[in-house]
Amino acid sequence: MENSEAIALTAALLTAAGDLTKRINDGVVARGFEARPAFGFAFARLAPDGATATDLAAHLGVTKQAASQLVDELVRKGYVERHPHPGDARARLVVLTELGWACTRAAEEAALEAVQPWVELLGESEVRVLCDRLRRIAPYGPIRPTW
């Protein structure tokens, strides 16, 4: 692979990721939720069993203070609640509320809509192959926003 091909591949993947993030967030907002992309990245870590602010900070690649500010915002908007941590009396477990779960379901619907043009362009089987190939090369771990 030539340098120019590597740059073109990198640009295409980053552009697709940015476009998907925007389209999913736009779809969530269109469904009546007050959201921004950081909410979805946080929800991915909070579902299904919750997490501490420290866990969330590590997942998002931000400071504990930044994660705590995001949790405060999510609490104010009704998407999450803080509960006593069952295994650590010093920690609080942040869990999705019913509104948070509803927002998550809206994001799933928006994601389906966001990839539908790919299915129409490439066909369902090619999109499945693309998904398989990306899973094989993508690193395991959290999906982090690009701040």
Side-chain angles (χ1 to χ4, degrees):
M1 177 172 271
E2 299 287 327
N3 285 350
S4 59
E5 293 171 317
I7 292 294
L9 173 61
T10 301
L13 286 170
L14 291 172
T15 301
D19 180 59
L20 282 173
T21 300
K22 181 183 180 327
R23 292 175 64 195
I24 291 168
N25 192 71
D26 289 350
V28 169
V29 170
R31 286 165 171 79
F33 294 91
E34 185 180 351
R36 55 190 179 95
F39 293 7
F41 291 109
F43 290 0
R45 176 61 184 90
L46 297 175
D49 300 319
T52 65
T54 301
D55 296 334
L56 190 57
H59 173 78
L60 296 174
V62 299
T63 64
K64 292 177 194 174
Q65 293 84 356
S68 291
Q69 289 175 348
L70 179 60
V71 170
D72 289 343
E73 182 180 1
L74 294 172
V75 167
R76 280 192 309 275
K77 294 184 183 314
Y79 291 122
V80 302
E81 295 174 334
R82 290 182 176 98
H83 293 256
H85 193 288
D88 184 350
R90 300 166 297 154
R92 304 283 286 166
L93 191 64
V94 180
V95 298
L96 293 173
T97 62
E98 190 51 47
L99 182 64
W101 283 111
C103 187
T104 299
R105 289 187 296 273
E108 291 171 355
E109 293 169 4
L112 179 61
E113 288 176 4
V115 299
Q116 191 58 40
W118 297 3
V119 173
E120 292 168 7
L121 179 68
L122 302 173
E124 197 165 319
S125 64
E126 286 295 317
V127 172
R128 284 197 175 110
V129 168
L130 174 62
C131 183
D132 176 63
R133 299 293 193 272
L134 289 172
R135 283 183 182 144
R136 288 173 51 195
I137 63 171
Y140 178 78
I143 301 171
R144 289 191 171 144
T146 54
W147 300 104

